[in-house]
Amino acid sequence: MSTLPSFIKEVLTGSAIFLSVIGLFLSIWIVVPVPTAFLLPLGVGAPEVCHWLLLLNFTAFGVSFFGIRSHWLQYVALGISGVGIVLSMLPFLQLSATQQQMQLAMEKELGKDYLTSIEQHFGRSHRFSLVDAFQGIPTSKIRYTPNIEFASPDSIPLRLDIYRPLQVGQYPGIVVIHGGGWQSGSPTTNADFSRYIAARGYTVFAITYRYAPTYKFPAQIDDVRSALAFIQQHAAEYETDINRIALLGRSAGAHLAMLAAYQQDAPPIRAVISYYGPSNLVKGYYEPPTPDPLNVRSVLEAFIGGTPDQLPEQYTKASPIHYANRSVPPTLLIHGGRDHISRIIFTRLLFQALQTAGNQAILLEIPWAEHAFDYIFNGPSNQLALYHTESFLAWALFENKNVNNGV
């Protein structure tokens, strides 16, 4: 029995050091960019689970304070967990200012009272909820119809999934295009979003396309156009108002969404939403991020088939910014300030080009967020993005009768 207090002391000391080190290691990726693809999930996820990290770091601090009796070890553990606490608080410290900036950006383009007549069309009453961050964003039951073949180019079956509200009716349509560097992904990617938004009163078509490097540009945009044609042909069957269609994509899918919506012969598109989509492939090639965990140049070469010097016309055709001087549908751009895959500077240039040409465009920046931040569906970044995505869709598809279709 006399050895028990010593044993407990050793356990508490070891636990305190372990928790402090783990908390700091995970929290450091909130500010330190990841150098490799292997570590990229940490860079993406750390800011989006900062509430859990804050809880972990406070726990480590408490265990260190009460459980360690060796002064120098206690100071070390307290210092480590203290740094972890500060790092994990950074997104929260920026949250209020970011919410205000986003709201001002929306009001500047859509009007100060744009929310008054559309609130019944979207479900979130708060831009950020700590309860949702811990418990998850509530979802409702919907109808789900998977694996519908919409085309088979080169005998490659291309399929889409459909998400609809429970009640039969006619709804605005949202075409969701997944990311994956034009080389991977599926219609089931980000399914939480598709289910959530369908419950708000939309028919959601989650589509796919042929992958690089086997199939190079413009195969992918051809497949998106095939999906849009299929949706038009089957609109009545799938309870979709073909005159109220929006495109939404993430990363490579956002690039394809913008490219499809900005074509002069595009079908009527009421709005397009880009989550961290590449918009200027030439600049993206010559000015890659630092660090560059995915090797952006190799991804672009696989997609286009060579370098900008070798295929300048293809890179130009594949860059949405090239079409920004046309009359195009209203565009919502959402991008993380710490994106090390698709740099935010190019999205800012696209935003400026769209506005200079007289197009309606909104840029929402999330300063702490990395690429693919919304893969953590209930994280702070996606909560902000989801709120404004909902309100933008409601404005474009329910309320704004004079929205420019870009055709």
Side-chain angles (χ1 to χ4, degrees):
M1 295 295 291
S2 61
T3 61
L4 187 59
S6 177
F7 170 73
I8 293 176
K9 183 187 297 186
E10 290 177 3
V11 170
L12 288 175
T13 300
S15 299
I17 296 296
F18 177 77
L19 289 175
S20 298
V21 171
I22 290 297
L24 178 60
F25 173 76
L26 296 175
S27 301
I28 200 170
W29 302 110
I30 294 175
V31 294
V32 175
V34 297
T36 66
F38 176 76
L39 293 173
L40 190 57
L42 291 176
V44 173
E48 309 313 324
V49 296
C50 58
H51 45 292
W52 288 108
L53 293 178
L54 187 60
L55 185 61
L56 172 61
N57 287 309
F58 267 119
T59 300
F61 190 92
V63 174
S64 300
F65 186 82
F66 293 106
I68 300 179
R69 290 295 173 261
S70 172
H71 291 302
W72 74 271
L73 276 178
Q74 186 180 60
Y75 293 150
V76 169
L78 290 174
I80 292 173
S81 56
V83 174
I85 288 171
V86 172
L87 292 175
S88 53
M89 286 182 63
L90 290 178
F92 291 114
L93 295 176
Q94 301 173 80
L95 189 60
S96 178
T98 301
Q99 291 183 93
Q100 293 177 10
Q101 291 167 3
M102 285 183 160
Q103 189 61 34
L104 288 174
M106 296 288 286
E107 292 177 355
K108 181 178 179 181
E109 193 62 33
L110 306 183
K112 289 187 177 297
D113 60 345
Y114 80 98
L115 284 174
T116 57
S117 59
I118 62 173
E119 287 182 338
Q120 69 271 25
H121 297 299
F122 60 97
R124 294 193 61 75
S125 58
H126 299 91
R127 293 166 180 82
F128 173 75
S129 165
L130 190 59
V131 172
D132 287 351
F134 280 108
Q135 295 184 353
I137 295 175
T139 57
S140 303
K141 292 183 178 180
I142 51 112
R143 288 176 290 159
Y144 175 53
T145 309
N147 297 319
I148 298 173
E149 185 172 320
F150 66 85
S152 56
D154 293 339
S155 299
I156 304 295
L158 299 176
R159 296 184 173 91
L160 57 80
D161 294 349
I162 302 179
Y163 304 78
R164 286 175 283 181
L166 279 179
Q167 184 176 354
V168 174
Q170 187 184 59
Y171 301 100
I174 303 173
V175 181
V176 175
I177 311 174
H178 65 78
W182 305 282
Q183 299 180 37
S184 63
S186 81
T188 60
T189 306
N190 298 103
D192 285 343
F193 171 86
S194 297
R195 291 181 179 277
Y196 175 88
I197 211 73
R200 306 276 75 80
Y202 301 91
T203 297
V204 178
F205 300 89
I207 72 170
T208 191
Y209 45 87
R210 286 170 289 174
Y211 300 143
T214 303
Y215 294 95
K216 296 176 174 55
F217 178 83
Q220 294 76 17
I221 191 64
D222 290 341
D223 295 342
V224 172
R225 291 163 69 91
S226 294
L228 293 176
F230 177 89
I231 292 167
Q232 282 189 309
Q233 295 165 6
H234 297 270
E237 178 182 354
Y238 298 126
E239 304 167 24
T240 304
D241 183 349
I242 200 59
N243 294 311
R244 293 188 292 165
I245 296 289
L247 305 186
L248 183 150
R250 298 172 175 86
S251 192
H255 162 266
L256 296 174
M258 291 186 289
L259 211 57
Y262 292 174
Q263 301 302 305
Q264 287 183 324
D265 59 346
I269 301 296
R270 294 285 290 269
V272 59
I273 300 175
S274 165
Y275 277 51
Y276 43 85
S279 57
N280 190 327
L281 272 55
V282 177
K283 281 187 171 293
Y285 187 92
Y286 288 121
E287 302 174 32
T290 304
D292 184 4
L294 291 189
N295 192 349
V296 165
R297 288 178 176 174
S298 67
V299 173
L300 290 172
E301 287 177 18
F303 175 51
I304 301 295
T307 69
D309 289 336
Q310 295 168 333
L311 298 168
E313 186 176 349
Q314 288 292 84
Y315 271 81
T316 299
K317 288 181 178 179
S319 296
I321 197 170
H322 176 69
Y323 308 96
N325 59 348
R326 298 176 177 176
S327 178
V328 302
T331 302
L332 176 63
L333 305 166
I334 305 177
H335 215 112
R338 298 182 61 251
D339 195 319
H340 287 84
I341 307 300
S342 176
R343 295 176 60 196
I344 193 171
I345 186 174
F346 305 132
T347 297
R348 291 170 180 161
L349 292 174
L350 173 63
F351 170 67
Q352 294 170 4
L354 288 167
Q355 289 215 316
T356 298
N359 291 300
Q360 290 183 293
I362 301 168
L363 172 58
L364 304 181
E365 299 186 16
I366 307 173
W368 61 81
E370 248 290 3
H371 198 80
F373 61 80
D374 57 318
Y375 276 68
I376 311 296
F377 188 62
N378 58 324
S381 299
N382 188 57
Q383 287 198 43
L384 295 180
L386 187 61
Y387 179 90
H388 293 292
T389 294
E390 280 194 77
S391 59
F392 181 76
L393 287 171
W395 169 82
L397 300 183
F398 283 103
E399 187 63 24
N400 188 17
K401 304 299 189 298
N402 299 315
V403 67
N404 173 28
N405 288 331
V407 295

